[in-house]
Amino acid sequence: MAGLTLTSLGGAGTVTGSKHLLQWGDDRILIDCGLFQGQKNLRELNWKPLPIEASSIDAVVLTHAHLDHCGYLPRLIREGFTGPIISTEATRDVAELILKDSAWLQEKDAAFLNRIKKTKHSPALPLYDSRDAQRAIDAFITYPFDQPFQTSNGATVRFRRAGHILGAAAVDIQWGNRQVVFSGDLGKYDDPVMFDPEPVREADYVVIESTYGDRLHNISDASGTLAKVIEETTRRGGTVLIPSFAVGRAQTLLYYLWNLRRTGRLPDVPIYLDSPMAINASGLLNAHPHDHRLDPRTSQAVGKVATYTRHPEDSKRISRSNEPKIVISASGMATGGRILHHLKAFGPDRRHTILLVGFQAAGTRGRALLEGAQDIKIHGDWIPINAEVANLPGLSAHADAAGLMKWLSGFRQTPEKVFIVHGEAQAAETLRSRIDRNLSWEATVPQQNQVCKL
């Protein structure tokens, strides 16, 4: 019988497009099924066929429901996948929000390109549509954390808490005589909202993310730093504009703002959560009370700290308003969504602050802002950036290099090999070197579509 192999169809050498294929003979399990984001050459990969037939995949197992881990699912179904999509219950609920929103944006973008006749293809088509998204949602089956279950092709799978966002899991797969553990995206330890990543004690092979594999978060007083940025900006009559991932980051931000207001450290200015998806995701905290640290009373209080703006007209009024305020809006890397309209409104004015609070992938507007861009292109126009740009990585939902090493140290025995994925080249290589130096484990950074025998 053929042995087990691992092939990263995405998420190798980049932080986006996570798709890791386990294959035993003719049986196949895909761990995560994400969209490529950021640089154009990566985004174009979403339109290229996978190197395997979608119909040949028996099941997809999701670590969590961020777009770079689940956003390709509707396309996979359009291409012929008919198996189950397996996740935790909260991941399924978050994925419903993410996939419906992604399909709507795909349809909207295609319609816009056709309307202005700026498309290389006539007509421009969405990568997938709302029907594809609904078919993906209908294909989900869920299992609790720490309850082993079997797939149809004989693998035993267990979800273990990974922190990061609601429902996020490390995936422990035993197949044949091999045990492979996928970290998914690991959250920070001692996060005020999410539980710590749960240790995994045994594995023959480990597949670990490396988003922040080359840096450490300064989290000594993230709350205090946030308060300082807000105070300085509002004192000069400005708006604090925070591009935020709608799921995970937005809810953590609301917690910090609630805590600052509760303790009297927040200026008396309005707070707006201007993202329908973030609003819906915030409601999921109450729907899944056992998946986070907040007690019901605190969870409800956190949800009330901001004014929710669902309707486009309300969002436009925020952009037109000259009053000092705090605006949390998606997307987190400024690749689309309402944040773009706010950047056009507030970016040119020195009174305002653009506060970056999460990872910014190469090729995104967020990365350009982080690197000091004088102007950024939005809706075909170059927008000058005179606003202050501040960075607060301590609010990231990802473990830093020390956190990744802490999670790896939970294994009682040395794995045969560690595969380092979901990181840009420098981050992945730095983590590989750290694993070699500190643990003396064999670690490698696989290339996309490289077949690795286990």
Side-chain angles (χ1 to χ4, degrees):
M1 178 182 291
L4 191 63
T5 62
L6 169 70
T7 308
S8 291
L9 308 180
T14 176
V15 293
T16 68
S18 288
K19 302 179 192 73
H20 306 293
L21 182 72
L22 277 183
Q23 181 164 344
W24 187 289
D26 293 330
D27 295 325
R28 290 169 168 168
I29 299 172
L30 189 65
I31 295 83
D32 286 338
C33 189
L35 275 184
F36 287 100
Q37 300 169 286
Q39 294 175 330
K40 184 178 180 180
N41 65 316
L42 288 175
R43 299 195 311 270
E44 288 175 342
L45 292 176
N46 294 321
W47 293 90
K48 294 183 178 180
L50 294 177
I52 60 170
E53 293 291 333
S55 60
S56 71
I57 300 171
D58 301 310
V60 176
V61 179
L62 282 190
T63 62
H64 67 289
H66 272 151
L67 196 64
D68 59 330
H69 291 259
C70 77
Y72 192 81
L73 284 168
R75 182 72 180 191
L76 191 74
I77 283 182
R78 176 177 277 201
E79 292 181 350
F81 172 71
T82 59
I85 300 166
I86 307 171
S87 74
T88 64
E89 184 179 357
T91 289
R92 186 265 175 210
D93 289 350
V94 174
E96 181 172 7
L97 298 179
I98 295 279
L99 296 179
K100 286 182 175 179
D101 182 74
S102 178
W104 180 79
L105 289 173
Q106 298 279 351
E107 293 169 329
K108 182 181 176 183
D109 289 347
F112 175 73
L113 290 173
N114 289 324
R115 187 168 63 252
I116 66 174
K117 301 187 184 302
K118 286 188 177 181
T119 173
K120 296 178 182 178
H121 308 282
S122 186
L125 298 173
L127 184 66
Y128 50 79
D129 59 26
S130 297
R131 289 171 296 181
D132 299 319
Q134 188 59 54
R135 290 171 64 198
I137 294 162
D138 292 341
F140 271 79
I141 58 175
T142 64
Y143 289 92
F145 287 104
D146 297 316
Q147 177 180 303
F149 59 90
Q150 274 207 328
T151 61
S152 61
N153 52 20
T156 300
V157 182
R158 182 196 299 256
F159 292 124
R160 302 179 188 272
R161 293 191 187 278
H164 190 55
I165 67 168
L166 278 177
V171 176
D172 182 341
I173 299 180
Q174 296 189 14
W175 205 2
N177 58 350
R178 291 286 184 267
Q179 182 176 2
V180 188
V181 173
F182 295 81
S183 72
D185 284 0
L186 293 172
K188 295 183 303 183
Y189 288 86
D190 300 318
D191 185 86
V193 178
M194 299 308 302
F195 292 118
D196 286 351
E198 181 184 349
V200 186
R201 299 306 185 191
E202 296 179 347
D204 296 306
Y205 298 92
V206 176
V207 183
I208 188 171
E209 64 120 330
S210 57
T211 310
Y212 285 107
D214 61 342
R215 69 199 82 172
L216 301 175
H217 297 323
N218 181 8
I219 58 175
S220 56
D221 188 15
S223 183
T225 304
L226 177 62
K228 182 180 179 181
V229 170
I230 294 169
E231 181 181 2
E232 291 178 351
T233 305
T234 56
R235 188 188 303 131
R236 60 179 183 253
T239 289
V240 179
L241 179 61
I242 310 178
S244 174
F245 296 103
V247 179
R249 198 70 39 78
Q251 292 73 47
T252 299
L253 279 165
L254 292 179
Y255 171 83
Y256 275 101
L257 293 170
W258 167 79
N259 197 43
L260 287 171
R261 178 152 288 175
R262 181 180 65 89
T263 55
R265 300 169 65 195
L266 187 70
D268 187 19
V269 296
I271 302 169
Y272 297 99
L273 183 61
D274 187 33
S275 164
M277 183 162 57
I279 294 168
N280 292 335
S282 298
L284 290 179
L285 286 175
N286 297 324
H288 295 279
H290 302 298
D291 277 5
H292 57 84
R293 296 184 190 271
L294 305 183
D295 61 75
R297 179 177 296 180
T298 300
S299 183
Q300 291 178 11
V302 168
K304 294 177 180 177
V305 75
T307 297
Y308 293 168
T309 52
R310 291 185 179 274
H311 301 294
E313 285 305 316
D314 294 329
S315 180
K316 292 174 184 177
R317 276 192 285 271
I318 292 173
S319 285
R320 292 193 298 264
S321 168
N322 290 321
E323 67 175 355
K325 56 192 170 296
I326 302 163
V327 181
I328 303 169
S329 188
S331 68
M333 294 186 284
T335 54
R338 293 182 180 181
I339 191 66
L340 299 185
H341 299 280
H342 296 314
L343 284 171
K344 290 170 72 172
F346 301 120
D349 193 325
R350 297 181 186 279
R351 293 176 301 162
H352 307 308
T353 298
I354 301 166
L355 179 59
L356 304 173
V357 295
F359 184 80
Q360 306 296 325
T364 63
R365 294 183 186 89
R367 184 64 161 269
L369 290 168
L370 185 63
E371 294 176 347
Q374 300 293 306
D375 48 25
I376 56 175
K377 194 173 186 179
I378 301 176
H379 301 144
D381 298 320
W382 286 97
I383 306 301
I385 300 298
N386 298 316
E388 178 184 351
V389 177
N391 184 33
L392 190 52
L395 291 183
S396 172
H398 281 273
D400 62 5
L404 296 172
M405 294 300 295
K406 181 175 181 178
W407 184 78
L408 286 173
S409 69
F411 288 91
R412 290 176 177 147
Q413 296 179 334
T414 301
E416 292 185 31
K417 185 176 288 188
V418 177
F419 296 94
I420 301 169
V421 298
H422 199 279
E424 293 176 356
Q426 179 176 320
E429 178 56 29
T430 301
L431 182 61
R432 186 207 63 76
S433 178
R434 187 184 292 259
I435 292 170
D436 176 54
R437 183 176 64 252
N438 293 358
L439 298 175
S440 299
W441 294 359
E442 183 179 353
T444 185
V445 181
Q447 297 179 356
Q448 186 167 316
N449 298 329
Q450 176 185 353
V451 179
C452 303
K453 294 183 179 179
L454 306 183

